[in-house]
Amino acid sequence: MTYKEFKEKAFAYSKKIGIEACQINYQNNKNFSLSLGNGELEKYQDASSYKITLKVLKDGKIGSAFSESLEDAEKIVDEAYENLKLIDSEEINYFYDGKGKYLEMNTYSGKFEEMEVNKKLEFVNNIHKEISNDEKIAMVPMVVYQEIGIENKLSNTYGLDLENKMDGAFSYAMAVAKDTSPRSGVDYIVASDPSKLTLDFAKNVKKFAIEKIGSKSVKSGKYDVVFLNSAFSDVLGMFNHMLSAENIQKGLSPLKGKLNSKIGSNKLNIKDLAYYDGSISNTPFDSEGVPTKDKVILEDGILKTYLYDLKTAKKDKVEPTGNSISGRITYMNLFVEPGINSYEELLKKVNNGIVITEVEGMHSGANPISGDFSLGAQGLLIENGKIIRGVEQITISGNFLDMLSKVSEIGNDMKIGQNIVNPSVIIKQMDIAGNI
């Protein structure tokens, strides 16, 4: 049975048994990955799978059922309907009618599928060579390359009928430098086209590991810090929970009641972009079929919007923002507007301080409900605007919103992550605990 035949059969049957509305999501996922361990091929995977998610709506309640086969549409509708009858929540749910304006965007190149496996293996081998060709590097324990490809179709009985394809790849690696203790460096690259898979990030992996040779801790105190783009991206991930209107409405976010209030430095401008060139998080519609669009999150440090799905938007009597992804509310491409300073210029502006290159323990050390965090970190000591040595065994602590208010300078070294695009920043007077 084709998807079209399955859809027509499910929609007709759901109408026949008195269901208000029926919605079907078809996802075909392709995954290809290679990984090297100390230069040897450790893992090769080339797999694809597809899943049908069928939802039925009646009296504001949604029941769901899943299948990996385009057969027996009536049975899956019955399963979803039975699951709906078990729901005792008073919350009202909705389906989208598809009448919004959808942005045209190119999210699929097809070039990763065309790329020969030997070329992909050559790429990871070249990463290994680039990192290991320095006598200060002891080992390259990990080089990973992974491709993703998703074909997505979403239809419902209200007239919604959408489809989209996307593909992309990312790669990351770790190096260990020779020292009395292991000194590791990690970096990654995200690419929407094979031509953007360069070895520049491999040079960073090597550089980050070597810079940490001779690392030691620092005295506890307040330090001006350069938050390296990749480390700042990890901490910005706390926004994912805080901006969700569902968490706002439940009182589980420190941003509750702060709309149109100043929560960050007036130098900080943050958007959620539906499309960012080079990102692999671009999509013209969210999981509910709502069009994605650009939104201003922070303007000169002032909070301008929360992120909504259909249910939370109805509750707050606003338009949905197209931010429902796989049952949760999240941003598509959280974009921090760059400044004019290079990374080296940020070091000079700090003059004496610390570069935070890695944070550890985000899951256990960061509380997105209060915004408080206490995280293990690694970094580099800055003296007279230059890197002097590595810094280890330190803990950075504070409050996320207070940290945003202390952003004094913003770099231009943009880094594309999974769904965050941001530069390095300077944060004034951050609390750092050391053991000297």
Side-chain angles (χ1 to χ4, degrees):
M1 189 183 299
T2 66
Y3 172 75
K4 184 173 182 293
E5 292 168 339
F6 179 90
K7 178 179 67 174
E8 290 173 349
K9 198 166 187 178
F11 286 179
Y13 180 66
S14 64
K15 183 179 180 181
K16 179 182 175 182
I17 63 175
I19 289 172
E20 181 181 327
C22 180
Q23 180 166 289
I24 300 171
N25 180 210
Y26 167 93
Q27 273 206 349
N28 185 4
N29 297 300
K30 296 182 178 179
N31 291 289
F32 176 89
S33 63
L34 290 169
S35 64
L36 302 183
N38 292 311
E40 300 293 328
L41 182 64
E42 280 192 337
K43 180 182 176 184
Y44 175 97
Q45 183 179 44
D46 190 356
S48 63
S49 62
Y50 74 87
K51 184 173 78 170
I52 303 290
T53 303
L54 187 146
K55 295 181 179 180
V56 294
L57 174 68
K58 189 173 184 180
D59 300 327
K61 297 178 181 178
I62 288 178
S64 303
F66 307 93
S67 177
E68 294 180 345
S69 169
L70 285 170
E71 302 296 333
D72 212 345
E74 294 178 356
K75 179 183 176 183
I76 301 173
V77 172
D78 283 336
E79 287 179 6
Y81 195 22
E82 289 303 312
N83 290 334
L84 180 148
K85 293 173 183 175
L86 298 175
I87 296 174
D88 56 8
S89 170
E90 298 297 321
E91 291 189 325
I92 306 298
N93 293 276
Y94 308 88
F95 285 164
Y96 188 64
D97 59 13
K99 293 181 179 176
K101 184 179 180 181
Y102 295 89
L103 297 173
E104 290 187 10
M105 59 179 72
N106 183 14
T107 59
Y108 178 77
S109 73
K111 294 178 182 175
F112 288 103
E113 284 186 270
E114 297 170 359
M115 194 173 164
E116 295 179 359
V117 172
N118 283 343
K119 289 290 183 184
K120 299 168 186 176
L121 189 56
E122 181 181 336
F123 176 66
V124 293
N125 280 323
N126 286 339
I127 294 170
H128 177 83
K129 288 178 184 174
E130 175 61 40
I131 299 172
S132 59
N133 69 356
D134 191 303
E135 61 181 14
K136 295 178 182 176
I137 296 296
M139 65 172 72
V140 185
M142 179 174 60
V143 178
V144 175
Y145 169 83
Q146 186 163 353
E147 286 174 14
I148 54 173
I150 302 173
E151 180 185 11
N152 188 23
K153 298 180 180 180
L154 184 63
S155 309
N156 67 32
T157 50
Y158 289 160
L160 183 78
D161 198 12
L162 304 168
E163 60 180 271
N164 185 59
K165 291 179 74 174
M166 67 78 61
D167 62 359
F170 60 91
S171 182
Y172 58 94
M174 172 186 285
V176 177
K178 296 174 182 175
D179 200 2
T180 52
S181 297
R183 308 297 181 192
S184 63
V186 180
D187 200 18
Y188 58 85
I189 186 173
V190 172
S192 59
D193 186 285
S195 65
K196 297 177 180 177
L197 286 170
T198 69
L199 295 179
D200 288 346
F201 89 99
K203 296 174 183 174
N204 285 338
V205 172
K206 178 168 58 179
K207 174 173 171 282
F208 293 160
I210 291 173
E211 282 180 330
K212 290 178 183 171
I213 292 174
S215 287
K216 54 185 179 182
S217 192
V218 296
K219 290 181 179 179
S220 298
K222 291 184 181 294
Y223 291 81
D224 291 347
V225 306
V226 174
F227 234 115
L228 189 66
N229 46 24
S230 54
F232 189 49
S233 175
D234 288 341
V235 180
L236 279 175
M238 291 179 74
F239 250 150
N240 202 20
H241 176 99
M242 294 179 183
L243 289 169
S244 162
E246 182 172 19
N247 293 325
I248 300 284
Q249 291 169 358
K250 291 178 178 177
L252 299 176
S253 168
L255 299 182
K256 182 178 175 63
K258 287 189 165 54
L259 210 56
N260 296 314
S261 299
K262 197 171 186 64
I263 65 164
S265 161
N266 56 12
K267 291 194 174 185
L268 205 50
N269 291 287
I270 301 177
K271 297 176 180 176
D272 179 33
L273 302 179
Y275 181 89
Y276 183 83
D277 187 29
S279 169
I280 57 174
S281 299
N282 302 323
T283 175
F285 57 88
D286 71 0
S287 295
E288 295 180 318
V290 178
T292 54
K293 59 183 180 181
D294 293 352
K295 297 165 288 291
V296 175
I297 304 294
L298 285 190
E299 185 176 62
D300 300 331
I302 297 173
L303 180 65
K304 305 303 288 186
T305 190
Y306 302 135
L307 303 180
Y308 290 92
D309 61 6
L310 285 170
K311 181 174 65 180
T312 55
K314 285 277 186 183
K315 197 170 183 178
D316 274 4
K317 298 178 181 177
V318 298
E319 291 295 317
T321 57
N323 286 96
S324 175
I325 296 294
S326 302
R328 64 192 182 101
I329 300 173
T330 184
Y331 35 72
M332 300 299 162
N333 294 291
L334 191 74
F335 172 79
V336 180
E337 285 192 358
I340 60 173
N341 300 292
S342 67
Y343 171 69
E344 289 74 20
E345 288 169 334
L346 294 181
L347 297 182
K348 290 178 182 176
K349 285 181 176 293
V350 165
N351 197 32
N352 293 298
I354 294 174
V355 181
I356 302 298
T357 59
E358 294 176 42
V359 294
E360 301 157 354
M362 283 298 301
H363 291 293
S364 58
N367 184 341
I369 299 175
S370 66
D372 294 337
F373 63 85
S374 178
L375 304 168
Q378 297 182 41
L380 305 166
L381 189 66
I382 311 167
E383 285 185 5
N384 299 318
K386 295 182 179 178
I387 300 299
I388 299 303
R389 62 170 171 83
V391 174
E392 63 176 3
Q393 299 179 38
I394 59 171
T395 301
I396 61 171
S397 60
N399 181 274
F400 180 75
L401 301 185
D402 184 51
M403 183 190 74
L404 295 184
S405 71
K406 293 180 178 176
V407 173
S408 65
E409 296 289 345
I410 298 176
N412 59 12
D413 54 338
M414 300 297 280
K415 183 85 171 175
I416 302 176
Q418 186 176 5
N419 58 354
I420 299 178
V421 184
N422 66 283
S424 302
V425 300
I426 292 177
I427 296 175
K428 304 291 283 186
Q429 298 295 286
M430 175 164 263
D431 286 318
I432 295 182
N435 63 7
I436 290 180

